[in-house]
Amino acid sequence: MIDDFKGKVREGLPHPLGATWDGNGVNFALFSANATKVELCLLDEEGEQETARIELPEFTDEIWHGYVPDVGPGSIYGYRVHGPYEPANGHRFNPNKLVLDPYARGHFGDLEWDPAVFGYQLESGDDTTFDERDSAPFMPKCVVVDPNFDWQGEPCRRAVAWEHTVIYEMHLRGYTKLHPKLPKEWRGTYKGLSEEVIEYIRSLGVTSVELLPLHTFINDSLLLDKGLINYWGYNSIGFFAPDPRYAHEREQTLREFKEMVARLHDAGLEVILDVVYNHTAEGNERGPTLSFKGIDNASYYRLLPDQPRYYINDTGTGNTLNLNHMRVIQMVCDSLRYWAGETHVDGFRFDLGTILAREINGFDHQSGFLKACCQDPELRSVKLIAEPWDCGPGGYQVGGFPPGWAEWNDKFRDTVRDYWRSAAPASALAPRLCASGDLFNHRGRKPWASINFVTAHDGFTLNDLVSYNEKHNEANGEDNRDGTSDNRSWNCGAEGPTDDSEVNALRVRQMRNILGTLLLSQGTPMLTAGDEFGRTQNGNNNAYCQDNEISWVDWDISEESQSLIRFVQNLTALRHKYPILRRTRFLTGIYNEELGIKDVTWINATGDEMKPENWADPTTECFGMLMDGRAQPTGIRRRGGDATLLMVLNAYHDLVEFTLPETAGGSSWSLLFDTNLAEDAPLESFAFGEIYGVTGRSLLLFALEPETPAVFT
């Protein structure tokens, strides 16, 4: 077949990068600053036999390119890149290794771990050796895709304002793998997020679905040797391709992904992707040669300046992507624009986001990548969420990202966990209830910048948080050494499942308390899928390798769990109903002289405003948060017209008699919920000054009933 292309290959263009079909042929373009030659390899339909090897004829601005006619969607390809193999100088070119196109929109096949996929002689253990074995039989391949897709206008697609956003974090495969109402072949796939499943998600009152990584990723050989896999997917090898393992029909992967997005949009839900641009699956100097390492190792990765044989490892995974290089920044931004523009994704959560903003001297909120995002017209219009930490020096940067970004707030997580196990006082919790203004209230940032969460994919589920004091990760095959031991959990008196009715009742109340704190605090709440009905992982707090019942959502939901679902639905309904719970201005407690109002007043159990000695008292575990709906809602100096709410939180183990405070503009307090009351308990109204018996470890919400205007006859 090689003769078929002789005399037909044209120069093509250096842009766009990747494989671009124009209806008559494909333009191939690959960046490599240090290569001496790049060969395009075309393979048969099975991806097994190389049918043509074509040298890309042009080199423009460090981009190798060529146009091949009569090649179209479905064509399978890879590259062989020539250049120096000089590990001591940071170069690891080896044309015996078939490498993946970083811009590939589709992938074919799976990686087979064989010594041939390593650029050096694996058996020697010496990465300075050179391996001549052909890796192609063991490698996944790239696929030319047809980008055309009829979005049918997506009439229900809407951009959700940040202040209205409620995020639902979930794993695509695990969410539907056990779903009884789906065809078995759809479970765990893009098709598995069917209309029926999506309707349940929508019914929870969430607005945005955040999906764990869907970029094509690799299963670590060490996990496979243990009979495990990289279930979470934080091991990317392709930043432009949805992983085919989640497809019902692999050859339709991109189409199935787009159809899933369209279904979520039709339900009025946003789609946020968890993305991993901080490292790749190629590991350190002893890792395999799959893509970037064999294309231009010295450009794509951050290497030790004085020993470029070795990788800077600020990620803890062996390598760090080099966002100091303009072409690498371009690749990441091109990837983001591709997912936003071509697949209609609404936002991104950046794993180990601090890495992306690292310059030579460390984290810099004026880094090249952050500047690129802030000025980009398409990226400015989507949600950008940072996980604001990494493993490198100065890596903890909560509150340090620039305006326009939101950030995971682990201080909210830790403080809420501590408060409800009586390990943190009211003074620690108060700023977290107000969107952590101590961290985010600067440079015009808004409360939504704080992504509030108590659980996430990484760590205990909500049920396990109130059921286990210790992690139980034995199934991971590391003798329970993996995963954090700093869980800030409390088992309520028994480790794991128990028949003790009092313990179980307390656990349910604690889950309600935590959910209430999460969904009623200022900022952007993130709920972990399954927490709304008490999903358990049996105490495993690091289930990254568990593609089984430990991680999969169990849809056999008890009546007690159904009640918890209804409680969550009530909480999200309250959040959407009462604007005071999602203000776009930070609640500060500062008295507004002009309006004569405090936006938030902290109340002690006597019904009086908290005094310094109350805040300083570590035994103050019961307090109230009075949010005044008359407070100025925007930058315009005028009173608001929202409802006034009073949240009462009691982490003390016993009943506290709480005096309901007198408040201007109202006549009494109407109870909206009490986590200690039965679901069908009547909700009453209470006069100012009346004492309410607040059960130990419970949370309550009251609404101020407005004064009844006088009627004159």
Side-chain angles (χ1 to χ4, degrees), residues 575-632:
R575 184 176 184 87
H576 293 310
K577 178 179 180 180
Y578 293 109
I580 193 66
L581 295 173
R582 43 182 170 80
R583 279 286 172 107
T584 58
R585 290 167 62 86
F586 284 93
L587 302 182
T588 65
I590 297 173
Y591 183 73
N592 187 317
E593 298 270 358
E594 187 176 345
L595 301 180
I597 298 168
K598 278 187 177 182
D599 51 14
V600 61
T601 303
W602 304 98
I603 307 296
N604 63 27
T606 66
D608 299 319
E609 184 171 356
M610 293 272 281
K611 297 178 175 59
E613 55 267 29
N614 300 132
W615 288 118
D617 184 354
T619 64
T620 300
E621 296 183 79
C622 180
F623 69 110
M625 179 185 185
L626 198 161
M627 296 163 277
D628 197 324
R630 300 171 303 152
Q632 179 180 329

Side-chain angles (χ1 to χ4, degrees), residues 412-425 429 433 454 465-466 488-490 492 506 509-518 521 621-623 647-653 675 694-700:
F412 180 94
R413 175 197 66 195
D414 293 348
T415 305
V416 171
R417 289 185 177 198
D418 281 346
Y419 175 78
W420 285 112
R421 66 188 183 106
S422 298
L429 183 62
L433 299 176
V454 183
L465 185 66
V466 301
R488 301 170 189 252
S489 60
W490 178 46
C492 297
L506 178 56
R509 192 160 72 249
Q510 286 285 74
M511 285 193 285
R512 290 177 177 238
N513 294 336
I514 292 170
L515 288 166
T517 309
L518 172 67
S521 292
E621 296 183 79
C622 180
F623 69 110
M647 181 161 54
V648 179
L649 306 96
N650 181 21
Y652 186 58
H653 69 273
T675 57
V694 180
T695 305
R697 297 195 174 92
S698 62
L699 183 147
L700 303 78

